[in-house]
Amino acid sequence: MAATTHDFDLAALRLAPGEGRRLELEVPIEPLELGSEVYAAEPPRVPVELTISRMTGGGYALRLRFSAAIGGPCMRCLKPAAPGVEVDAREVDRPGGGEELDSPYVSEETVDLAGWGRDAFALAVPAKILCREDCPGLCPVCAADLAAAGPDHHHDPEPDPRWAKLRELKLE
Ligand SMILES: [Zn+2]
Ligand SMILES: [Zn+2]
């Protein structure tokens, strides 16, 4: 079983300018809080592919790819959900290249893979985490699970209390 990698030392690869390397690593992805619920990467230690190329002008171009599920309560019906998330993120870090070329995840020649992985995962998760794409959710009147209750589930509209008062008046 591969060791998990929080931080990766780029200098240790001793790449010559123009040289590249592709690595298979395992990165721990911290749970995310969305709304007031906690959603966790599944598996929590995610196999990733890290591609590193040493640029000819100095610095590194990096690409991080992985897929994981995001597990937690369905945002419509609250049942367990775990839709898949595809992550494909790139960073460039070139010393002296200005803010745009200064990756926040690279300091000295060390990549904060856990931090980058978590942020890239958070950016890639769908806006609505659902148990299935067409989850009908809960009944707005009685909170029944509509997927189980079926399409016939409905409530007769409550009579408007003002009409009831009118009816009383007419009877007098
Ligand atoms: Zn659902
Ligand atoms: Zn109902």
Side-chain angles (χ1 to χ4, degrees):
M1 188 149 124
T4 54
T5 310
H6 280 264
D7 301 299
F8 186 82
D9 181 9
L10 297 167
L13 293 173
R14 302 187 175 283
L15 295 174
E19 231 183 349
R21 190 71 55 83
R22 179 175 299 157
L23 299 165
E24 313 267 327
L25 302 169
E26 210 173 71
V27 175
I29 303 291
E30 296 229 340
L32 311 172
E33 206 173 299
L34 302 172
S36 54
E37 304 284 354
V38 173
Y39 292 86
E42 291 175 8
R45 292 151 49 126
V46 181
V48 308
E49 185 186 276
L50 176 66
T51 312
I52 301 156
S53 56
R54 179 110 192 253
M55 294 186 288
T56 44
Y60 294 92
L62 306 168
R63 185 177 187 186
L64 180 67
R65 280 187 285 186
F66 61 89
S67 36
I70 178 152
C74 170
M75 287 179 177
R76 283 196 196 134
C77 76
L78 309 175
K79 277 186 294 196
V85 178
E86 296 291 326
V87 174
D88 186 349
R90 290 163 195 270
E91 285 290 319
V92 169
D93 191 74
R94 167 175 280 187
E99 220 168 275
E100 252 170 67
L101 299 178
D102 181 15
S103 167
Y105 307 110
V106 182
S107 71
E108 302 297 317
E109 288 187 86
T110 301
V111 196
D112 172 14
L113 274 185
W116 183 18
R118 183 201 50 223
D119 290 353
F121 187 63
L123 286 173
V125 300
K128 283 251 170 263
I129 293 167
L130 303 175
C131 61
R132 56 177 223 228
E133 227 155 273
D134 60 347
C135 170
L138 302 177
C139 170
V141 177
C142 71
D145 176 5
L146 291 177
D152 294 337
H153 181 86
H154 78 287
H155 298 265
D156 290 323
E158 292 276 329
D160 189 317
R162 284 171 299 180
W163 289 114
K165 273 266 178 277
L166 268 182
R167 246 177 261 132
E168 273 171 38
L169 287 175
K170 275 189 191 148
L171 288 173
E172 275 171 18

